[in-house]
Amino acid sequence: MDKSELLELKKTACKVRSWTVEGVFNAKSGHPGGSLSAADIITYLYFREMKVDPKDPKNPDRDRFVLSKGHCCPALYAALALKGFFSTDEIKVLRHIGAMLQGHPDMKNTPGVDMSSGSLGQGISAACGMALAGKLSSKDYRVFAMLGDGECEEGQVWEAAMFASHYKLDNLTVFVDYNGLQIDGTVEDVAGLSAIDEKFSSFGFEVITIDGHDFDQIEAAVNKAKQTKDKPTVIIAKTVKGKGVSFMENKVGWHGKAPNADEYKIAMDELSAQLKALEA
Amino acid sequence: MAESKKIATRESFGMALCELAKEHDDILVLDADLAAATKTEIFKKAYPDRFFDCGIAEGNMIGVAAGLAAAGKVPFAASFAMFATGRAYEQVRNSVGYPHLNVKIAGSHAGISVGEDGATHQCCEDLALMRTIPGMVVLNPADHYEMMAATKAAYEYQGPVYIRLGRLAIESFNDPDNYTFEIGKGITLEEGSDVTVIATGLVVYEALKAVRALKEKGINARLINMHTIKPIDKDIIIKAANETGRIITVEEHNIIGGLGEAVAAVTAENCPVPVNRIGVEDIFGHSGPAVGLLSEFGLDAEGIEKKITEIMSK
């Protein structure tokens, strides 16, 4: 991508982060840390990569995205709203009674959400099913899924990994948002998920490790995945939990907590300063 | 009654899938390394390109089925009832039930008639688990013809369906020339006015024999085959309660959470009458030949007849 395209993506990611914070603040609950770590990848997918049409969200030929780490939907909702699937007004009532936007993604009622998810480990299996369906129907759509690093402690992730590899689902690209933190502490302290690249490699995946906040690296990895035949690809994206909001960065406490009014103001000021700097 | 032949409903299910697949390209079948036992191998042989073994990984199988359905396919995912509804309960609830995806789940080797494998594989909780999931249709066909029709109805229904399959070969007692299946509509097999027996699945034929024997002994029992546990046929239950004043349910399932409680909920809210539940009385099964176990648990014709006689004499 050229410099102006890169700049546009960075600006969009900044807006995605602002709407993420907006949603979680208004909900008075939710998961800002992992949403912010995933924001750049989600922005890349919806604003640079995926064939999706907000006017035709159920198009059978569209690319699909399954947010297996469903609790990070504030970032997904922000991207979908900015893309035009629904109004940003919906984000202001995220998690409220009667609201469309649920605490975890609900495909039945939310345009653009390809799979209901949130119970960890399940989304990647559904992504496998979508990828298999695409192959059986000779469709050239691609399926993207995003796992959390802590989520990889779920056994079902590895059942799905075996399946994806066995059925040669090369139209499936899985991101692992490797921010290193989960509710009870660091991923290494909680359950010792070391050598995740070797794990996926031994399950038959093409493994690419990148900086999950570097759009050029994201693009290169996605393009490599598209060229990889007969096996699925996993992109281990090293990220910073809470990325973009200084006091949330790398703090385990911001996994599942909403900012108070003061914190909200600081966060929004920081993000708008970042946007201004990009626009300057 | 048609000339009977013994066939297990799991076998009928495999045959039904093949019939349906001839006309419908969107049908796919998934199994979790039990194709030889669930009889999806019948489909696998006929349609190898539309059969996907998921290995011994039932949670993933249900999730894959959800994804296939989300992309427009109609997957039938089969395993033992224990694993399809027990092991993978939460996947069924969250990946299939919540998004109301068009996935058909088949649980074979249900109930104690699994036999020798014993308690770990004798699922007497599947109907209870599946019927608590909003929007889930729960079917428990009683013989070959009913299973053939139920599988077709499951395909035609848009949304998640659980179908219970039996391991044991049983009489095909329904008359194929005079039989219609409709989801949610119970079938009156015998008229009667003293009491209504409502049975489901593999024990319907046993209940039929029991009811006929009781008629000769002066107890004029009505018999309803309740092949659909959810949505339960309220009308037929209310009518039976009003006309016969007492209901006895028969199921090869824990008496907690299954047919008996589904029926009792309808009567309690609409037309309170005594409801007695014949079934597995909140205990685990154990190893043994299927027929011997059914007898031991009082779920063969003789046991059902004895229990009904006891209830009626109180």
Side-chain angles (χ1 to χ4, degrees):
Chain A
M1 73 186 87
D2 63 28
K3 277 186 177 175
S4 68
E5 288 168 331
L6 177 62
L7 187 63
E8 275 311 303
L9 277 179
K10 285 182 175 175
K11 285 195 266 185
T12 305
C14 208
K15 290 175 194 164
V16 165
R17 287 195 164 90
S18 292
W19 281 106
T20 295
V21 172
E22 185 72 43
V24 175
F25 173 68
N26 282 295
K28 296 187 175 63
S29 67
H31 301 83
S35 300
L36 294 170
S37 65
D40 292 315
I41 294 163
I42 289 174
T43 299
Y44 178 83
L45 288 174
Y46 280 95
F47 291 89
R48 176 83 181 161
E49 176 58 33
M50 287 171 59
K51 281 178 288 186
V52 290
D53 179 2
K55 293 189 191 70
D56 187 14
K58 296 278 183 197
N59 188 314
D61 295 326
R62 74 190 186 279
D63 290 336
R64 274 108 170 137
F65 177 64
V66 179
L67 184 63
S68 201
K69 47 176 276 182
H71 56 284
C72 297
C73 54
L76 174 61
Y77 295 157
L80 290 173
L82 293 171
K83 186 82 180 169
F85 281 92
F86 46 79
S87 164
T88 50
D89 289 346
E90 297 285 351
I91 293 173
K92 294 175 184 164
V93 291
L94 165 64
R95 287 176 168 238
H96 289 202
I97 288 173
M100 176 181 76
L101 297 179
Q102 295 295 293
H104 292 83
D106 170 15
M107 68 181 287
K108 265 199 313 186
N109 296 306
T110 311
V113 169
D114 292 316
M115 182 65 204
S116 300
S117 61
S119 177
L120 296 178
Q122 297 191 24
I124 185 174
S125 296
C128 287
M130 292 174 189
L132 178 61
K135 288 205 165 280
L136 296 173
S137 303
S138 302
K139 289 186 182 294
D140 62 1
Y141 67 72
R142 296 192 65 80
V143 181
F144 298 91
M146 182 183 277
L147 293 164
D149 47 1
E151 183 180 10
C152 292
E153 291 154 15
E154 287 281 4
Q156 189 175 345
V157 168
W158 304 100
E159 294 183 5
M162 261 185 280
F163 183 92
S165 174
H166 182 67
Y167 286 104
K168 300 183 168 51
L169 301 180
D170 53 17
N171 52 350
L172 173 68
T173 303
V174 179
F175 286 90
V176 177
D177 180 16
Y178 206 111
N179 60 39
L181 298 176
Q182 59 188 110
I183 295 175
D184 281 354
T186 69
V187 174
E188 284 317 306
D189 283 347
V190 172
L193 191 71
S194 58
I196 193 172
D197 48 351
E198 289 173 25
K199 287 185 172 75
F200 272 106
S201 181
S202 71
F203 275 74
F205 275 62
E206 179 70 25
V207 181
I208 305 167
T209 301
I210 61 164
D211 173 348
H213 302 304
D214 181 325
F215 286 110
D216 288 320
Q217 290 190 37
I218 298 170
E219 179 160 81
V222 168
N223 286 341
K224 190 173 178 201
K226 286 198 290 201
Q227 285 154 15
T228 300
K229 297 298 168 204
D230 297 328
K231 59 178 176 177
T233 295
V234 64
I235 300 170
I236 314 287
K238 297 282 173 64
T239 58
V240 174
K241 198 154 184 167
K243 174 79 175 174
V245 177
S246 60
F247 61 88
M248 291 186 183
E249 287 191 358
N250 279 321
K251 293 285 193 301
V252 75
W254 288 102
H255 171 90
K257 185 175 80 166
N260 63 28
D262 293 340
E263 291 161 339
Y264 164 73
K265 187 169 182 317
I266 296 167
M268 294 305 269
D269 286 350
E270 283 186 16
L271 290 166
S272 70
Q274 288 168 32
L275 185 59
K276 269 190 191 143
L278 290 167
E279 283 168 344
Chain B
M1 188 179 296
E3 191 183 337
S4 66
K5 58 171 180 176
K6 277 195 167 184
I7 179 167
T9 52
R10 57 177 167 148
E11 191 127 15
S12 316
F13 172 69
M15 292 159 67
L17 290 176
C18 290
E19 286 288 309
L20 287 166
K22 273 185 217 164
E23 292 175 29
H24 305 288
D25 293 341
D26 52 5
I27 290 183
L28 305 174
V29 175
L30 310 179
D31 207 305
D33 194 40
L34 287 169
T38 63
K39 297 299 175 193
T40 59
E41 69 176 3
I42 299 169
F43 180 92
K44 181 184 176 181
K45 279 183 189 143
Y47 298 94
D49 296 342
R50 291 160 69 179
F51 175 86
F52 299 92
D53 209 314
C54 297
I56 310 164
E58 297 80 8
N60 179 60
M61 175 176 73
I62 296 298
V64 167
L68 287 166
K73 302 293 184 187
V74 185
F76 282 74
S79 180
F80 284 3
M82 189 73 255
F83 315 127
T85 72
R87 167 75 64 103
Y89 172 77
E90 205 237 310
Q91 285 82 359
V92 176
R93 182 200 183 270
N94 278 325
S95 286
V96 175
Y98 178 44
H100 201 70
L101 286 168
N102 199 21
V103 173
K104 318 303 171 185
I105 298 154
S108 79
H109 292 58
I112 53 167
S113 58
V114 171
E116 292 83 349
D117 277 356
T120 53
H121 288 54
Q122 293 165 339
C123 186
C124 296
E125 306 86 16
D126 53 329
L127 302 178
L129 288 166
M130 291 298 99
R131 88 183 177 91
T132 58
I133 297 174
M136 181 70 72
V137 166
V138 181
L139 305 178
N140 186 20
D143 79 342
H144 168 71
Y145 300 113
E146 194 158 272
M147 180 58 78
M148 295 293 286
T151 308
K152 185 168 184 280
Y155 171 76
E156 287 165 355
Y157 173 81
Q158 284 290 316
V161 178
Y162 173 66
I163 314 176
R164 187 187 228 216
L165 322 178
R167 172 177 182 243
L168 186 64
I170 50 169
E171 299 287 338
S172 307
F173 62 89
N174 280 302
D175 176 1
D177 299 326
N178 188 23
Y179 176 83
T180 51
F181 180 92
E182 192 181 337
I183 290 174
K185 292 283 175 208
I187 298 170
T188 303
L189 291 176
E190 291 280 325
E191 293 294 348
S193 53
D194 294 341
V195 61
T196 298
V197 177
I198 303 180
T200 188
L202 183 134
V203 292
V204 170
Y205 184 64
E206 299 304 311
L208 179 62
K209 287 186 283 185
V211 162
R212 285 179 178 166
L214 286 167
K215 284 210 165 128
E216 288 175 12
K217 292 170 186 171
I219 296 177
N220 184 21
R222 181 177 300 185
L223 177 63
I224 292 167
N225 168 15
M226 197 68 90
H227 53 63
T228 304
I229 305 298
K230 185 184 175 184
I232 197 89
D233 186 346
K234 288 183 185 173
D235 294 345
I236 205 169
I237 296 169
I238 293 168
K239 185 164 180 280
N242 288 334
E243 291 175 3
T244 70
R246 176 185 280 277
I247 290 174
I248 299 171
T249 59
V250 187
E251 60 193 311
E252 192 198 4
H253 186 276
N254 194 336
I255 54 169
I256 293 175
L259 170 73
E261 288 194 350
V263 169
V266 173
T267 57
E269 289 178 352
N270 296 282
C271 47
V273 297
V275 175
N276 299 83
R277 296 166 298 159
I278 299 175
V280 178
E281 295 180 358
D282 200 23
I283 53 172
F284 289 104
H286 51 81
S287 292
V291 173
L293 287 173
L294 286 171
S295 169
E296 183 193 331
F297 280 75
L299 290 170
D300 61 354
E302 204 178 312
I304 294 166
E305 183 190 334
K306 190 167 161 240
K307 203 73 186 274
I308 294 171
T309 307
E310 278 171 23
I311 292 165
M312 295 301 287
S313 65
K314 276 177 191 165

PDB file of all heavy atoms in Angstrom, chain B residues 205-219:
ATOM      1  N   TYR B 205     -43.409 -49.175  21.039  1.00  0.00           N
ATOM      2  CA  TYR B 205     -43.909 -50.501  20.658  1.00  0.00           C
ATOM      3  C   TYR B 205     -44.137 -51.370  21.893  1.00  0.00           C
ATOM      4  O   TYR B 205     -45.104 -52.126  21.961  1.00  0.00           O
ATOM      5  CB  TYR B 205     -42.934 -51.175  19.697  1.00  0.00           C
ATOM      6  CG  TYR B 205     -43.448 -52.507  19.186  1.00  0.00           C
ATOM      7  CD1 TYR B 205     -44.587 -52.577  18.400  1.00  0.00           C
ATOM      8  CD2 TYR B 205     -42.790 -53.699  19.510  1.00  0.00           C
ATOM      9  CE1 TYR B 205     -45.076 -53.784  17.932  1.00  0.00           C
ATOM     10  CE2 TYR B 205     -43.264 -54.918  19.051  1.00  0.00           C
ATOM     11  CZ  TYR B 205     -44.411 -54.959  18.261  1.00  0.00           C
ATOM     12  OH  TYR B 205     -44.883 -56.157  17.813  1.00  0.00           O
ATOM     13  N   GLU B 206     -43.265 -51.228  22.882  1.00  0.00           N
ATOM     14  CA  GLU B 206     -43.448 -51.981  24.135  1.00  0.00           C
ATOM     15  C   GLU B 206     -44.732 -51.518  24.830  1.00  0.00           C
ATOM     16  O   GLU B 206     -45.504 -52.330  25.347  1.00  0.00           O
ATOM     17  CB  GLU B 206     -42.240 -51.774  25.061  1.00  0.00           C
ATOM     18  CG  GLU B 206     -40.907 -52.261  24.488  1.00  0.00           C
ATOM     19  CD  GLU B 206     -40.946 -53.726  24.078  1.00  0.00           C
ATOM     20  OE1 GLU B 206     -41.400 -54.560  24.894  1.00  0.00           O
ATOM     21  OE2 GLU B 206     -40.541 -54.040  22.935  1.00  0.00           O
ATOM     22  N   ALA B 207     -44.961 -50.213  24.823  1.00  0.00           N
ATOM     23  CA  ALA B 207     -46.181 -49.678  25.435  1.00  0.00           C
ATOM     24  C   ALA B 207     -47.421 -50.144  24.677  1.00  0.00           C
ATOM     25  O   ALA B 207     -48.471 -50.426  25.275  1.00  0.00           O
ATOM     26  CB  ALA B 207     -46.115 -48.147  25.467  1.00  0.00           C
ATOM     27  N   LEU B 208     -47.281 -50.246  23.363  1.00  0.00           N
ATOM     28  CA  LEU B 208     -48.405 -50.711  22.543  1.00  0.00           C
ATOM     29  C   LEU B 208     -48.801 -52.139  22.928  1.00  0.00           C
ATOM     30  O   LEU B 208     -49.988 -52.451  23.117  1.00  0.00           O
ATOM     31  CB  LEU B 208     -48.021 -50.646  21.056  1.00  0.00           C
ATOM     32  CG  LEU B 208     -49.054 -51.105  20.025  1.00  0.00           C
ATOM     33  CD1 LEU B 208     -50.314 -50.242  20.085  1.00  0.00           C
ATOM     34  CD2 LEU B 208     -48.465 -51.055  18.611  1.00  0.00           C
ATOM     35  N   LYS B 209     -47.792 -52.986  23.088  1.00  0.00           N
ATOM     36  CA  LYS B 209     -48.070 -54.370  23.491  1.00  0.00           C
ATOM     37  C   LYS B 209     -48.705 -54.397  24.885  1.00  0.00           C
ATOM     38  O   LYS B 209     -49.649 -55.155  25.143  1.00  0.00           O
ATOM     39  CB  LYS B 209     -46.777 -55.205  23.472  1.00  0.00           C
ATOM     40  CG  LYS B 209     -46.287 -55.529  22.053  1.00  0.00           C
ATOM     41  CD  LYS B 209     -45.096 -56.479  22.061  1.00  0.00           C
ATOM     42  CE  LYS B 209     -43.816 -55.770  22.432  1.00  0.00           C
ATOM     43  NZ  LYS B 209     -42.623 -56.618  22.338  1.00  0.00           N
ATOM     44  N   ALA B 210     -48.205 -53.551  25.764  1.00  0.00           N
ATOM     45  CA  ALA B 210     -48.728 -53.499  27.135  1.00  0.00           C
ATOM     46  C   ALA B 210     -50.185 -53.038  27.145  1.00  0.00           C
ATOM     47  O   ALA B 210     -51.035 -53.626  27.831  1.00  0.00           O
ATOM     48  CB  ALA B 210     -47.866 -52.557  27.989  1.00  0.00           C
ATOM     49  N   VAL B 211     -50.457 -51.994  26.374  1.00  0.00           N
ATOM     50  CA  VAL B 211     -51.820 -51.441  26.339  1.00  0.00           C
ATOM     51  C   VAL B 211     -52.797 -52.476  25.782  1.00  0.00           C
ATOM     52  O   VAL B 211     -53.922 -52.625  26.279  1.00  0.00           O
ATOM     53  CB  VAL B 211     -51.829 -50.128  25.512  1.00  0.00           C
ATOM     54  CG1 VAL B 211     -53.240 -49.750  25.073  1.00  0.00           C
ATOM     55  CG2 VAL B 211     -51.199 -49.002  26.332  1.00  0.00           C
ATOM     56  N   ARG B 212     -52.360 -53.211  24.762  1.00  0.00           N
ATOM     57  CA  ARG B 212     -53.238 -54.238  24.178  1.00  0.00           C
ATOM     58  C   ARG B 212     -53.494 -55.369  25.187  1.00  0.00           C
ATOM     59  O   ARG B 212     -54.624 -55.872  25.291  1.00  0.00           O
ATOM     60  CB  ARG B 212     -52.624 -54.792  22.899  1.00  0.00           C
ATOM     61  CG  ARG B 212     -52.780 -53.789  21.768  1.00  0.00           C
ATOM     62  CD  ARG B 212     -52.185 -54.266  20.481  1.00  0.00           C
ATOM     63  NE  ARG B 212     -52.423 -53.266  19.446  1.00  0.00           N
ATOM     64  CZ  ARG B 212     -51.809 -53.258  18.280  1.00  0.00           C
ATOM     65  NH1 ARG B 212     -50.913 -54.180  17.990  1.00  0.00           N
ATOM     66  NH2 ARG B 212     -52.075 -52.322  17.396  1.00  0.00           N
ATOM     67  N   ALA B 213     -52.467 -55.726  25.926  1.00  0.00           N
ATOM     68  CA  ALA B 213     -52.645 -56.775  26.943  1.00  0.00           C
ATOM     69  C   ALA B 213     -53.597 -56.299  28.039  1.00  0.00           C
ATOM     70  O   ALA B 213     -54.448 -57.065  28.522  1.00  0.00           O
ATOM     71  CB  ALA B 213     -51.286 -57.148  27.539  1.00  0.00           C
ATOM     72  N   LEU B 214     -53.471 -55.019  28.397  1.00  0.00           N
ATOM     73  CA  LEU B 214     -54.328 -54.465  29.452  1.00  0.00           C
ATOM     74  C   LEU B 214     -55.789 -54.425  29.027  1.00  0.00           C
ATOM     75  O   LEU B 214     -56.695 -54.599  29.853  1.00  0.00           O
ATOM     76  CB  LEU B 214     -53.858 -53.056  29.835  1.00  0.00           C
ATOM     77  CG  LEU B 214     -52.571 -53.005  30.655  1.00  0.00           C
ATOM     78  CD1 LEU B 214     -52.017 -51.593  30.708  1.00  0.00           C
ATOM     79  CD2 LEU B 214     -52.821 -53.527  32.074  1.00  0.00           C
ATOM     80  N   LYS B 215     -56.018 -54.207  27.758  1.00  0.00           N
ATOM     81  CA  LYS B 215     -57.408 -54.162  27.261  1.00  0.00           C
ATOM     82  C   LYS B 215     -58.103 -55.487  27.525  1.00  0.00           C
ATOM     83  O   LYS B 215     -59.279 -55.522  27.881  1.00  0.00           O
ATOM     84  CB  LYS B 215     -57.426 -53.820  25.770  1.00  0.00           C
ATOM     85  CG  LYS B 215     -57.144 -52.341  25.556  1.00  0.00           C
ATOM     86  CD  LYS B 215     -57.790 -51.751  24.322  1.00  0.00           C
ATOM     87  CE  LYS B 215     -57.731 -50.228  24.456  1.00  0.00           C
ATOM     88  NZ  LYS B 215     -57.176 -49.547  23.320  1.00  0.00           N
ATOM     89  N   GLU B 216     -57.352 -56.552  27.352  1.00  0.00           N
ATOM     90  CA  GLU B 216     -57.927 -57.876  27.589  1.00  0.00           C
ATOM     91  C   GLU B 216     -58.200 -58.102  29.071  1.00  0.00           C
ATOM     92  O   GLU B 216     -58.972 -58.974  29.449  1.00  0.00           O
ATOM     93  CB  GLU B 216     -56.994 -58.963  27.048  1.00  0.00           C
ATOM     94  CG  GLU B 216     -56.990 -58.996  25.525  1.00  0.00           C
ATOM     95  CD  GLU B 216     -56.000 -59.982  24.949  1.00  0.00           C
ATOM     96  OE1 GLU B 216     -55.471 -60.822  25.726  1.00  0.00           O
ATOM     97  OE2 GLU B 216     -55.755 -59.916  23.745  1.00  0.00           O
ATOM     98  N   LYS B 217     -57.519 -57.304  29.904  1.00  0.00           N
ATOM     99  CA  LYS B 217     -57.710 -57.452  31.346  1.00  0.00           C
ATOM    100  C   LYS B 217     -58.638 -56.378  31.909  1.00  0.00           C
ATOM    101  O   LYS B 217     -58.679 -56.150  33.119  1.00  0.00           O
ATOM    102  CB  LYS B 217     -56.354 -57.401  32.052  1.00  0.00           C
ATOM    103  CG  LYS B 217     -55.513 -58.626  31.725  1.00  0.00           C
ATOM    104  CD  LYS B 217     -54.086 -58.482  32.214  1.00  0.00           C
ATOM    105  CE  LYS B 217     -53.269 -59.672  31.713  1.00  0.00           C
ATOM    106  NZ  LYS B 217     -51.842 -59.511  31.947  1.00  0.00           N
ATOM    107  N   GLY B 218     -59.290 -55.651  31.020  1.00  0.00           N
ATOM    108  CA  GLY B 218     -60.312 -54.715  31.476  1.00  0.00           C
ATOM    109  C   GLY B 218     -59.851 -53.289  31.680  1.00  0.00           C
ATOM    110  O   GLY B 218     -60.631 -52.451  32.131  1.00  0.00           O
ATOM    111  N   ILE B 219     -58.579 -52.990  31.419  1.00  0.00           N
ATOM    112  CA  ILE B 219     -58.148 -51.588  31.496  1.00  0.00           C
ATOM    113  C   ILE B 219     -58.097 -51.041  30.075  1.00  0.00           C
ATOM    114  O   ILE B 219     -57.307 -51.492  29.244  1.00  0.00           O
ATOM    115  CB  ILE B 219     -56.770 -51.449  32.181  1.00  0.00           C
ATOM    116  CG1 ILE B 219     -56.859 -51.916  33.637  1.00  0.00           C
ATOM    117  CG2 ILE B 219     -56.280 -50.005  32.116  1.00  0.00           C
ATOM    118  CD1 ILE B 219     -55.542 -51.893  34.383  1.00  0.00           C
TER     119      ILE B 219
END
